[in-house]
Every structure is written in C-alpha cells, then in structure tokens.
Amino acid sequence: MEIKVNYLDNLRLEAKFDDFTVIADQPIRYKGDGSAPGPFDYFLASSALCAAYFVKVYCNARDIPTENIRLSQNNIVDPEDRYNQIFQIQVELPESISDKDRKGILRSIDRCTVKKVIQTGPEFKVEAVESLEDDAQAMLMATPETDASTFILGKDLPLEKTIANMSAILADLGMKIEISSWRNIVPNVWSLHIRDAASPMCFTNGKGATKESALCSALGEFIERLNCNFFYNDQFFGPEIANADFVHYPNEKWFALEDDDALPQGILDDYCLAIYNPDDELSGSNLIDTNSGNAERGICSIPYVRQSDGETVYFPSNLIENLFLSNGMSAGNNLAEAQVQCLSEIFERAVKRQIIEQEIVLPDVPESVLAKYPSIVAGIKGLEEQGFPVVVKDASLGGQFPVMCVTLMNPRTGGVFASFGAHPSFEVALERSLTELLQGRSFEGLNDVPKPTFNSMAVAEPENFVEHFIDSTGIISWKFFSAKHDFEFVEWDFSGTTEEENNNLMAILKDLGKESYVAVFDQLGATACRILVPDYSEVYPVEDLIWDNTNKSLAYREDILNLHRLSEDELISLVERLEESQQDNYIDIRTLIGIEFDENTVWGQLTILELKILIYLALGALEEANELVGEFLQYNDNTVERGLFYQAVSAVLEVTLDDELELDDYRANFNRMYGEEQMENVVGSVFGEITFFGLTETSMNLEGLDKHLRLIESYKKLHNARALVAK
C-alpha cells in the first residue's frame, strides 16, 4: 500500500492512503501540539486492533457475541534496550464461552497480520527519487534470477519473462502496482490482490498453483482491463476527455443521432440487430456513451472483426459495458494465447450458466483420473483436512466443452460453493477450478457461501447468474448433487499448439451456430483482445439496454453535481424526474451518476432517498420530506452520525408540522439529546437556512472529488498513450 505523507503546521503530519487521512503529532514535551497520537502510538495501537479484528472474525463465524469480550495490550520495554519490547496481549472472556472456543480465540490472535510482520522482521529500503509520481517501478516480488525459465501449460513464454514484460508495460504507463495481499491457505493454491497505488479502484485478483503463476494471472488481468477500459466502466470521464479527439480508442466511430431517435445506419449488423433489437424498441438515445455523456457527438462505437468473413462491425460502447461486463477479455504473450483465454472464459461462464439454470447433474471425476494430477489432489486434500468436503465434476457436458467444476461444501454453515474453470487442457481447466475456488478467500470467507435449494425459480433468476459471474456466490440446486448424472464422464482434450487451441475453441462456437466478433487492443504495448459472442456471452439480459441502461445517469448527473447552484424550478424538475423514474430509493448516487465519491463522506453514502429528502427540505416541502425521513429511519444503513441527524430532523418536522406545538418549547431538550451544533444544522435545514447539509459543493469539473479525479488521472495515462500511438 502506498502511503503519501504531507507536512502540516509545526510537527503535525498527514498520511493519505486509499480514502483515508491520518493525522499524527507529537506530545507537547517533544515540542508538538499534542493534537493527535504520535506515529509510534499508531504502530502500537495497530497491533492491538489487528488482534481484536481476528478475535471478531473468529466469533462472527461461530455466532459468538463479543459484547462481553475485552482485549488489552501492554508494551513491556527492556530498560537496557528500548527497542526490545514484549507485546503482552490479554483477552477477558465470559464464562459462557466453551474451552474449545477459548483456545480457538487465542489461536486466532496468532493470525494477526501486524504480529506476523513484526515477528518476521520487515526489511526497510530508503532511497531518494526525483518524483514520487514518476517513480512507477512495480512494487511486486523480488526480481527473479535472469536465467530462470518456468514454463506452465497454456503459456507460450516463461513466467519470469511474462512478469518482466507486463511489469515494464505498466511502469511505462506510469502505473505503480502494489500487492495488497497474498493467500496460500492450502498446498498449490495461491492468490493475490494487486492495485494501482495512485488509484486503488483499479485492482485485480490473480490465482495459480504457484506464487509466480498467480502474479502472472493478476498482472495479465490488470493489463486486459486497462486495454478494454473495464476499470472505468460506467464512470464519468469529465468534460476534457468527453470532448477530446477520441474518448475510448483512436479508431472509434461516432454515429449522429437521428431526429426520430431511430438506430443510425451502420451500427451493428443484421445478425446482432436481430438479437439486440428484435422488436424495434431500441433507440439511438439508449446507446449514448455513458462515460462521456456527450449526446451531441452521438453514439460512440468500437470496431470489431466478424470472424465468419473478416468484415468490420461497429458495436456501441454503451452496449458492450451494459451487457458483457468483463466477460471475454484477455491479455496474452501473443494474440492466439489471448484469444484462447478469452474463449475459455466465455465457455466457462456460458456452460456454468446452462448447468445452474437447467439444474444439470454432472458426473464425478474418477479417483484414477484425479491421481494423474498430484499437486491438484494435494490442494483438495488440504481443504478436506480443514473440514470442507470437495466434489470434483466434469462440466464438459459429455465432452462438448473444455470446462471443469470443483464444488466445496461447508458443513458448519450448510453452504455450497461451485467453482468452474475452462481451458483446452483438462489439467489446466481443473487447476483453474480449484484456484478460482479460493481466490482471495480465507477459511472464514467460506462461511458466507449460500445454501443450496430445491427452488428452481430462485436458481434460474437472472440476478443469480450475475452473482455467480461476479464472485461465484450465487445459489445452486440440490439436484446438482444427485447420484443420477445427466452425462457420462469424458476425459476430454482440446489441447494442442496455441493456434490449434484457438481454432478448436472457435470450431465449438461455429458448431453452436454462434457468430463471434474480435477487437484487438495493442496501443498500450501489450497484446490484448476482446471477443463478443452475441446471444451467448452476455452477463446481463438484453432488455437492460432499454429498461436498466447505465446511461440513465445522463438524466441526473449534471444537475446532481451542480446541486448547490440549481434554481427552485430546477430542483423541482430534478426531484420530479427522480420520482417519475421509479428508481429504487436505495440506489446510491455514485452508482446512479457514475461518480466515485469517497465512501467516508456524505456523498459516498448518499442514496436517491436521502437526496430527495434534502431537495424537499431545500424547497420547503416539509410534509414530503417528513414522509421520506420516516422511510429513511426505518430502513437506514447509513452512518450512525447521519442517522442521528435524521432522527433530529424527524423530531423537528413533527413539531413544526403540528399547529399545536411550538419548537421553542422543545429546543432545550432537543439540544441535550442531539447536541447544540447538530440542532443548529437540523433547524437550519428544516427552515431553509442551510441546504444540502453534509454535501460539499462540486460541479461537472468534479472539484473536491479526489477519488474520482484519481480515477480520471489513471485513465488519462491510457488515453495519452493511445493518442501518441495514433499520431
């Protein structure tokens, strides 16, 4: 994690990381102001807090209340060496906790990350650089030996060379990549989380049988998502990029909107139009680019090559981001390798969806076949030794598709987690199923997987598939575990050279009668591509283009960002549009308008419901505000502080709207209950002296929205690199 430090007044320091700011000071006896803890105090507190966190995780997993558990840490300093200290952590446990859980709680503290880092002994490297921003060396693993060459199935270059190549590409872009976590909880199953230090919203997870292969996976996914702009899906790019020569790619094409809002000629082809506009309901305005919001330019479209005949077809960027999410995008050492990964991912998700929705019963993989892959068996054994039964199934549907499935049961909670993997190689597909199962997960994280069901409707719900797509935590049917399988086991094999594997997978699509479209993105120095298979690789239903399009943000974005400067008529128009839209009141504003607000601010927690309340208060529509405040308090999951603000608003509104009550009669005790400062803000909000309390003023230029501005700066690195290549 990158922590940037700024010097404040006197000895005060400000550390910034992610969305947080920490202030440190020194005691007055050390010439400080005593306004905040010192750096060493934070260090000591981090150990106690980390220990308490792991106790909480242990107790939550076992439904053990923590109200009566107390923890303390004392630091015993060696009088002859003040750097030699004993961290004495003590836990007070109520008698109701069993001896088994007492031991478990104490063992959980041993897992404290701060403790482990201190015991291992971190290495400090101190150096001077010309610019912190320009020093974009990847903060990854130590550089491997130059003569090391580790080859794995499915990759055409050694892992060491692949890591070096991808790290160099990211460094050239000015991306400082940091590893925020590693996991290796069973043998031969590694995963990690990497992110852009300057813009942590840009992150990926990697998985593999070794730490090197997991790092390759994470870096490859990071590069594919940069090339396909996935990190910036649905997000507003700001007016500068919206009006630049290009918004997404130099070869994009803009189609002007028609006067009657019909689809412009030249967008998509007949094959795609039959899928995405079967009833002629799709309009040009449905396809306006969400990132730019620039309706005057028309519809931004990206060229894809139709694989059946090599013709170029233009796909609206809006359609891609609304329906496909990250499905079918990949980076590789060469184009064939990238396409194999794209197609493998597409088959994995399409077959997974078919199996789950149709409640298909898969055959188990025989023990004799599993025995051929001892490293995979070791990982499975590691899970079972921890009390998680594992079922390995052939998901090829009788040898049609290169897909495998590893399913984990959690007897402690009754939950089930089905993980799928695909690749032309049986072994690689099986390994991916297992590593996907534990990607970024601890054993405690496996307590959150859902229980299976016999409710076929719940399994077939489109949203269930979305959950499976995002993190495989959707519901599966109990029928999945029937001993009567629908297909016989096949020890399939689609492998060959990378080119042969690509051809084999393309042939499967052809046999299914599916057309595929490929776009290659190589402007950033890497080989990446995206494959779209209409009516097969979509994640969201086609109807979302009309009924739940992300560009609904365009109806609200500018007004909400300019909220403090809207006239009364403009506020009335905004709140009426929100009411008439029938949007869910609990959608957060950052999702609605595509802006990454700091989650620790009122903007970051703001929902449509709360925005309506604030608008009604600003308009003096107290009865409307009071009705919504009641709903807010009943279903509020906002911060405690914000909840208390609206409790006070509710009390003041009740008094104000009652002709027989006078606010002055209650003000003194309201002050005692909620505090004088809070009541000043509440009364000011109710009587129009304060508007939009808690929301800092901004505009379409995004002043003060540092998190989103960091995201735009991240995108500008790609935009500038593409512009240079296009010249």
Side-chain angles (χ1 to χ4, degrees):
M1 178 172 67
E2 183 177 50
I3 303 170
K4 290 189 175 181
V5 178
N6 298 316
Y7 291 94
L8 306 179
D9 55 287
N10 196 12
L11 298 181
R12 282 162 46 87
L13 302 169
E14 174 188 74
K16 286 183 169 289
F17 53 95
D18 295 348
D19 294 331
F20 300 100
T21 299
V22 173
I23 303 296
D25 200 352
Q26 292 292 336
I28 294 174
R29 64 181 180 275
Y30 295 142
K31 308 300 183 183
D33 298 320
S35 63
F40 190 67
D41 298 325
Y42 280 117
F43 165 68
L44 296 178
S46 70
S47 174
L49 291 168
C50 188
Y53 163 76
F54 279 96
V55 171
K56 182 70 171 177
V57 168
Y58 179 93
C59 292
N60 282 354
R62 292 157 182 82
D63 294 324
I64 300 172
T66 55
E67 287 81 1
N68 296 318
I69 295 177
R70 299 199 299 164
L71 183 146
S72 72
Q73 173 181 297
N74 292 289
N75 296 80
I76 303 171
V77 183
D78 184 338
E80 296 183 1
D81 181 2
R82 67 191 181 102
Y83 299 117
N84 181 26
Q85 300 191 16
I86 297 173
F87 286 35
Q88 185 178 50
I89 297 175
Q90 297 175 316
V91 189
E92 181 182 303
L93 302 172
E95 294 182 0
S96 58
I97 295 180
S98 68
D99 289 341
K100 177 183 177 182
D101 283 326
R102 286 170 180 269
K103 293 177 183 177
I105 288 171
L106 294 180
R107 282 198 304 270
S108 73
I109 294 176
D110 283 333
R111 299 180 57 218
C112 168
T113 314
V114 175
K115 170 179 172 290
K116 287 182 178 292
V117 171
I118 293 171
Q119 289 177 326
T120 302
E123 178 183 353
F124 286 82
K125 294 182 179 180
V126 182
E127 61 182 357
V129 297
E130 292 184 6
S131 168
L132 292 176
E133 283 68 30
D134 293 342
D135 176 39
Q137 296 302 310
M139 294 183 284
L140 305 173
M141 300 188 306
T143 304
E145 297 179 13
T146 54
D147 58 350
S149 293
T150 307
F151 283 90
I152 63 171
L153 284 174
K155 297 298 177 185
D156 290 341
L157 286 179
L159 293 177
E160 295 80 6
K161 180 64 174 174
T162 304
I163 291 171
N165 289 345
M166 290 191 289
S167 298
I169 289 168
L170 292 167
D172 288 344
L173 285 170
M175 297 272 182
K176 186 183 291 187
I177 305 301
E178 60 184 16
I179 296 176
S180 62
S181 67
W182 280 101
R183 290 194 185 275
N184 174 220
I185 61 177
V186 298
N188 308 316
V189 179
W190 287 82
S191 68
L192 75 158
H193 179 92
I194 67 172
R195 61 186 189 178
D196 179 1
S199 181
M201 299 84 76
C202 302
F203 66 86
T204 58
N205 299 301
K207 60 185 184 293
T210 66
K211 59 181 182 294
E212 291 84 5
S213 60
L215 179 56
C216 266
S217 168
L219 288 171
E221 186 172 287
F222 201 95
I223 286 176
E224 82 183 31
R225 295 186 175 205
L226 287 178
N227 277 277
C228 297
N229 289 350
F230 181 73
F231 290 136
Y232 317 99
N233 252 20
D234 310 340
Q235 304 297 327
F236 179 43
F237 285 162
E240 180 184 344
I241 294 176
N243 293 290
D245 290 340
F246 65 92
V247 172
H248 296 277
Y249 303 101
N251 63 347
E252 68 193 22
K253 185 174 182 179
W254 290 78
F255 292 83
L257 292 173
E258 302 288 343
D259 292 339
D260 61 356
D261 205 17
L263 290 184
Q265 291 293 316
I267 283 181
L268 302 173
D269 59 13
D270 291 341
Y271 179 87
C272 293
L273 288 170
I275 294 168
Y276 300 124
N277 191 27
D279 302 316
D280 291 325
E281 292 182 332
L282 189 64
S283 302
S285 57
N286 293 133
L287 300 177
I288 294 171
D289 179 60
T290 306
N291 299 114
S292 69
N294 199 336
E296 293 181 1
R297 289 183 78 166
I299 300 170
C300 181
S301 299
I302 315 300
Y304 277 72
V305 176
R306 190 167 58 208
Q307 295 304 286
S308 61
D309 57 9
E311 289 296 316
T312 297
V313 177
Y314 284 91
F315 279 78
S317 62
N318 174 287
L319 182 147
I320 297 169
E321 74 173 33
N322 268 285
L323 301 184
F324 292 92
L325 289 184
S326 65
N327 200 17
M329 58 174 67
S330 185
N333 292 302
N334 52 59
L335 182 56
E337 185 181 295
Q339 290 193 172
V340 167
Q341 176 56 29
C342 280
L343 292 167
S344 297
E345 183 178 83
I346 287 169
F347 284 123
E348 172 196 321
R349 285 153 178 176
V351 172
K352 176 180 181 178
R353 181 173 197 158
Q354 181 182 352
I355 290 167
I356 290 170
E357 290 183 348
Q358 297 178 13
E359 299 176 291
I360 294 173
V361 183
L362 302 175
D364 292 346
V365 177
E367 292 294 332
S368 59
V369 175
L370 287 178
K372 298 177 182 180
Y373 313 108
S375 64
I376 295 174
V377 171
I380 293 170
K381 184 179 178 183
L383 280 170
E384 294 193 324
E385 287 174 349
Q386 293 292 327
F388 299 103
V390 174
V391 179
V392 183
K393 292 181 175 290
D394 168 24
S396 69
L397 303 186
Q400 297 179 76
F401 304 100
V403 185
M404 296 296 293
C405 175
V406 175
T407 303
L408 174 144
M409 301 179 185
N410 188 342
R412 184 181 295 121
T413 64
V416 170
F417 184 19
S419 174
F420 290 72
H423 190 269
S425 162
F426 186 98
E427 179 181 359
V428 174
L430 180 55
E431 179 188 287
R432 287 182 176 177
S433 298
L434 179 61
T435 54
E436 174 71 24
L437 184 73
L438 295 176
Q439 180 171 275
R441 288 184 174 85
S442 62
F443 288 127
E444 288 81 5
L446 295 172
N447 291 326
D448 296 330
V449 297
K451 302 173 180 60
T453 180
F454 281 108
N455 183 344
S456 299
M457 292 182 64
V459 172
E461 278 286 332
E463 285 303 315
N464 187 46
F465 173 65
V466 174
E467 293 298 323
H468 277 289
F469 176 86
I470 293 171
D471 60 6
S472 297
T473 57
I475 304 168
I476 66 171
S477 172
W478 263 120
K479 296 176 184 178
F480 185 81
F481 296 98
S482 171
K484 296 180 179 179
H485 44 79
D486 295 318
F487 292 90
E488 294 301 317
F489 169 75
V490 176
E491 192 172 358
W492 49 265
D493 184 13
F494 295 87
S495 63
T497 65
T498 310
E499 289 77 10
E500 289 170 343
E501 290 176 348
N502 180 53
N503 292 336
N504 291 341
L505 299 183
M506 283 291 187
I508 297 175
L509 286 178
K510 185 176 181 181
D511 290 343
L512 292 173
K514 301 297 181 184
E515 184 68 85
S516 58
Y517 303 78
V518 178
V520 178
F521 306 110
D522 54 11
Q523 304 99 333
L524 303 182
T527 301
C529 68
R530 181 160 200 168
I531 299 178
L532 307 178
V533 186
D535 196 32
Y536 193 70
S537 66
E538 295 89 352
V539 176
Y540 284 107
V542 171
E543 293 77 16
D544 279 6
L545 288 174
I546 297 172
W547 302 112
D548 194 22
N549 195 303
T550 57
N551 74 7
K552 61 190 175 189
S553 63
L554 308 186
Y556 312 105
R557 180 187 287 159
E558 185 170 0
D559 280 351
I560 291 175
L561 290 174
N562 289 309
L563 191 64
H564 294 77
R565 289 179 295 281
L566 296 185
S567 67
E568 182 174 319
D569 287 343
E570 289 169 332
L571 285 174
I572 291 171
S573 173
L574 173 58
V575 78
E576 286 180 348
R577 275 180 280 135
L578 288 170
E579 295 283 15
E580 292 168 0
S581 70
Q582 298 183 333
Q583 298 282 349
D584 186 339
N585 269 340
Y586 298 96
I587 293 174
D588 53 70
I589 295 301
R590 66 178 184 270
T591 299
L592 178 68
I593 65 173
I595 298 292
E596 285 290 341
F597 297 107
D598 182 342
E599 292 180 6
N600 304 303
T601 64
V602 177
W603 274 115
Q605 298 287 327
L606 189 69
T607 61
I608 290 177
L609 175 62
E610 186 178 359
L611 177 60
K612 288 179 183 178
I613 294 171
L614 292 172
I615 294 174
Y616 281 132
L617 288 174
L619 292 170
L622 301 188
E623 291 186 359
E624 290 85 349
N626 193 38
E627 183 179 338
L628 294 181
V629 167
E631 183 180 342
F632 178 93
L633 293 174
Q634 185 174 2
Y635 300 105
N636 170 49
D637 60 357
N638 208 308
T639 61
V640 172
E641 180 183 3
R642 204 64 177 167
L644 287 171
F645 171 78
Y646 282 107
Q647 284 186 39
V649 168
S650 177
V652 171
L653 284 173
E654 292 290 346
V655 171
T656 303
L657 292 170
D658 192 321
D659 294 337
E660 298 181 2
L661 301 178
E662 293 291 337
L663 183 58
D664 288 344
D665 296 337
Y666 295 87
R667 185 67 183 266
N669 281 314
F670 282 172
N671 286 345
R672 296 177 68 188
M673 174 67 80
Y674 301 111
E676 290 189 16
E677 182 179 352
Q678 179 88 291
M679 285 305 300
E680 288 293 331
N681 292 323
V682 168
V683 173
S685 297
V686 170
F687 290 99
E689 297 159 2
I690 296 174
T691 55
F692 312 113
F693 173 67
L695 298 179
T696 54
E697 191 168 338
T698 186
S699 73
M700 287 287 281
N701 292 318
L702 310 172
E703 298 92 347
L705 305 183
D706 291 343
K707 184 174 182 179
H708 196 86
L709 290 172
R710 291 200 303 272
L711 189 71
I712 292 176
E713 285 304 310
S714 170
Y715 182 68
K716 282 183 177 178
K717 295 173 183 176
L718 315 185
H719 198 269
N720 292 339
R722 288 169 180 152
L724 286 173
V725 172
K727 287 182 178 179

